[in-house]
Amino acid sequence: MARLALLSTSDKTGIIDLAKSIITEFDYEIISSGGTAKTLKEAGISVTKVSDYTGFPEILGGRVKTLHPRIHGGILARRDLEQHIEDLNANNIRPIDLVVVNLYPFEQTISQPGVTLAEAIEKIDIGGPAMLRASAKNFSHLTVLCNPNQYNSYLEELRKNGGEVSLEFRQKCALAGFKHTATYDQAIATYLQEQETTSEQEKETFLLSGKNIKSLRYGENPHQSATWYQSGIIPSGWAASKILQGKELSYNNLVDLEAARRIITEFSDAPTVAILKHTNPCGIAISETLLEAYEKAFAGDSVSAFGGIVALNKSIDAPTATAMTKTFLECVVAPGCEPEAEEIFQKKSKLRVLISPDLKQSPSETIKVIAGGFLVQAPDDAVESSSDWKVVTEKQPTAEQMEELMFAWKVVKHVKSNAIVVTKNLATAGIGAGQMNRVGAVKIALEQAGEKAIGGVLASDAFFPFDDSVKTAAAAGITAIIQPGGSVRDKDSIAAANELGLVMILTGMRHFLH
């Protein structure tokens, strides 16, 4: 008797060629459901509809098609158990040797704008996952394929092994099937969780899965392996960005690019450029043109900019591209790139240039792995307004100082703590990052700023535990300080600012970045 294959796919890619091959080369008979049966018949392929095979019609508008003992008995039967064979014979059930199933496009549906809950629910596949799981469970006796990319490998197995499929191959396909259903269920659970109207600070279960995009050359260091995964089946974020040119992205490139994305999204109006090194900004500036913004950012720390990452909030023009090709950079990312700028970048063929129109797209949670688990938190994306700030000194800020302080406050948020940022004329002049004490960060930022500190402002990501940093800043020429406040010694820092004629603003919000 001919072997039996069940084909029931949402994605019809390659299904006609697979069906023709297994019939003509390996004497398979095919049963199929709904749209798949229609596709095969239109291609002139002999197929038996599932409803004809089971003797039971598709009902409930197609919600029930393959959920039938003749289907699942044929899938789950163990050929090495006499009782199972007797049950098949007694119920006129044929064993199924091949199951080809992929699922309704749930994630594609929910990614469409304006999709309703009712529309999403109708794209939750029931029969497909049931067949996938049953087939994967019984891989010792049949093969399950859930991705068109597996079809050629399956045919090669049959040709290589005289019409048989190795146990190793079947087990590999079973694993793919379980991964497919796990990812599918996670997408549904995540979507339904997002529909909850109540705000849940703590979730009983956090669902996380990813699709392997590519293996990277190595991780942070050459002795560390690394892989890039895409969350969900619809490319988004960096997986959806367009790479215009350059070498392959590395692990460190991607980590730096994400830090660059977080920074540049703080600035949406005037042309802004951020230059980063090892996830810390080494220069950020706002100006009337993109070229001027780049030149000001580069001047903030031209030494550290070498080999850095540049993020721009406007489409790259030719003058800015020309300026960027004058130094060695690892990556450039922007929402667009003019044709003339593309031609200029081609002179630096190894430079990675990425276009990401939606740089503002950000994850809803941030995740860090720890031994035995991981930590999940909301991103630090609170929108702050200067109207919520508190001026605590006798001296009041000017309008220009308020604009400068807002700029400095947005920057310091993205510097590793302990963090101090000195800015002047809407450009960074000095940055003290990742120091073990705040005084050290202040000294580094002021030393880097040099004379630019005179008339500038200083931002601190957390409160000053003592007044020594205020005095050091004033001695360097700083005129205004912005910090969260919250220290038991805030009064000491405020008193020092008053004594030295500084403006001090407390924001009430800390921005640690570890």
Side-chain angles (χ1 to χ4, degrees):
M1 182 183 290
R3 286 182 288 187
L4 191 60
L6 170 60
L7 279 56
S8 179
T9 61
S10 176
D11 180 358
K12 306 296 191 293
T13 303
I15 198 66
I16 292 173
D17 290 339
L18 175 67
K20 287 179 178 178
S21 294
I22 61 176
I23 288 174
T24 58
E25 293 184 55
F26 304 104
D27 193 30
Y28 269 92
E29 290 181 9
I30 294 176
I31 56 175
S32 189
S33 63
T36 308
K38 183 174 182 291
T39 298
L40 297 177
K41 282 185 176 180
E42 289 175 350
I45 297 170
S46 176
V47 58
T48 300
K49 290 184 67 174
V50 165
S51 56
D52 294 333
Y53 176 74
T54 62
F56 196 89
E58 294 185 8
I59 62 172
L60 306 181
R63 280 192 170 194
V64 178
K65 291 180 285 193
T66 57
L67 297 171
H68 192 279
R70 286 202 82 191
I71 297 298
H72 284 272
I75 291 173
L76 285 165
R78 287 179 53 180
R79 322 293 167 81
D80 58 340
L81 291 182
E82 184 178 345
Q83 182 62 55
H84 282 205
I85 300 302
E86 289 176 0
D87 286 343
L88 293 183
N89 293 334
N91 293 280
N92 192 27
I93 298 174
R94 291 176 60 183
I96 296 174
D97 292 283
L98 172 66
V99 175
V100 183
V101 179
N102 53 58
L103 309 177
Y104 291 165
F106 180 80
E107 288 190 85
Q108 287 93 330
T109 298
I110 61 174
S111 68
Q112 297 170 5
V115 66
T116 65
L117 177 61
E119 289 169 335
I121 286 174
E122 286 308 311
K123 288 300 179 182
I124 297 177
D125 202 326
I126 300 300
M131 287 188 291
L132 268 179
R133 289 176 59 82
S135 305
K137 174 178 179 175
N138 206 29
F139 71 85
S140 293
H141 301 279
L142 76 159
T143 306
V144 58
L145 305 177
C146 62
N147 190 316
N149 294 335
Q150 298 171 310
Y151 298 170
N152 285 335
S153 298
Y154 174 71
L155 293 173
E156 288 172 8
E157 274 283 310
L158 291 174
R159 292 164 185 153
K160 181 176 65 177
N161 299 314
E164 300 300 325
V165 178
S166 68
L167 179 62
E168 181 183 8
F169 183 84
R170 297 198 302 271
Q171 184 171 344
K172 183 178 179 181
C173 291
L175 174 59
F178 280 122
K179 285 183 176 180
H180 190 34
T181 57
T183 302
Y184 193 77
D185 286 341
Q186 183 217 316
I188 296 168
T190 300
Y191 171 76
L192 292 176
Q193 184 170 268
E194 290 171 352
Q195 307 311 304
E196 292 287 336
T197 55
T198 56
S199 177
E200 240 187 313
Q201 295 299 320
E202 295 182 7
K203 300 181 179 72
E204 183 179 347
T205 302
F206 186 86
L207 304 169
L208 179 65
S209 70
K211 176 184 176 184
N212 186 329
I213 294 180
K214 62 165 53 178
S215 294
L216 303 173
R217 284 183 61 198
Y218 52 80
E220 286 181 292
N221 300 289
H223 63 277
Q224 294 172 267
S225 60
T227 306
W228 181 6
Y229 289 92
Q230 167 191 311
S231 56
I233 62 171
I234 308 297
S236 61
W238 297 111
S241 63
K242 180 181 180 182
I243 302 176
L244 294 184
Q245 66 168 59
K247 298 186 294 183
E248 285 192 10
L249 291 170
S250 70
Y251 177 96
N252 288 334
N253 289 154
L254 289 162
V255 172
D256 285 334
L257 282 166
E258 178 58 16
R261 183 200 62 76
R262 290 196 299 267
I263 292 174
I264 206 65
T265 57
E266 296 278 358
F267 308 96
S268 57
D269 298 326
T272 306
V273 174
I275 307 175
L276 288 87
K277 196 73 168 288
H278 306 310
T279 72
N280 274 310
C282 52
I284 301 180
I286 298 174
S287 196
E288 294 183 0
T289 69
L290 204 61
L291 174 60
E292 290 173 357
Y294 173 74
E295 290 174 340
K296 287 169 66 177
F298 185 82
D301 188 350
S302 58
V303 174
S304 298
F306 183 85
I309 304 283
V310 180
L312 311 93
N313 70 341
K314 306 292 181 185
S315 184
I316 306 171
D317 54 29
T320 308
T322 298
M324 285 193 284
T325 57
K326 292 178 181 179
T327 191
F328 168 65
L329 299 171
E330 283 282 350
C331 302
V332 173
V333 62
C337 187
E338 296 176 6
E340 297 84 355
E342 287 190 39
E343 292 182 13
I344 293 166
F345 281 134
Q346 288 171 6
K347 299 173 185 177
K348 294 272 190 175
S349 60
K350 294 183 179 180
L351 172 63
R352 304 165 179 90
V353 180
L354 292 86
I355 301 303
S356 184
D358 192 11
L359 281 169
K360 288 193 173 182
Q361 182 183 20
S362 62
S364 55
E365 295 101 355
T366 62
I367 302 168
K368 284 195 175 184
V369 176
I370 60 173
F374 52 91
L375 307 174
V376 180
Q377 68 170 351
D380 186 6
D381 57 3
V383 178
E384 297 182 61
S385 170
S386 58
S387 61
D388 298 325
W389 296 349
K390 184 178 180 182
V391 180
V392 293
T393 49
E394 297 166 1
K395 191 167 187 179
Q396 299 294 300
T398 64
E400 291 78 12
Q401 282 180 319
M402 285 296 287
E403 183 182 16
E404 191 75 40
L405 288 163
M406 176 61 82
F407 171 73
W409 188 239
K410 286 182 176 181
V411 174
V412 79
K413 173 180 177 180
H414 299 280
V415 180
K416 290 292 180 70
S417 192
N418 286 317
I420 297 291
V421 169
V422 174
T423 76
K424 186 177 182 181
N425 299 325
L426 301 181
T428 55
I431 298 174
Q435 297 307 300
M436 285 66 71
N437 65 76
R438 198 153 297 276
V439 175
V442 169
K443 289 180 178 178
I444 291 171
L446 292 172
E447 182 180 351
Q448 188 182 80
E451 292 185 358
K452 292 180 183 178
I454 300 173
V457 307
L458 182 148
S460 173
D461 67 334
F463 63 66
F464 293 117
F466 303 99
D467 63 5
D468 47 4
S469 292
V470 177
K471 293 176 180 178
T472 302
I478 293 295
T479 61
I481 292 175
I482 186 167
Q483 55 130 330
S487 169
V488 295
R489 292 188 175 87
D490 276 348
K491 290 182 179 179
D492 294 346
S493 295
I494 295 168
N498 281 326
E499 181 183 340
L500 298 166
L502 272 63
V503 171
M504 181 174 284
I505 289 178
L506 304 186
T507 67
M509 184 173 289
R510 189 185 74 185
H511 287 299
F512 274 166
L513 179 62
H514 286 89

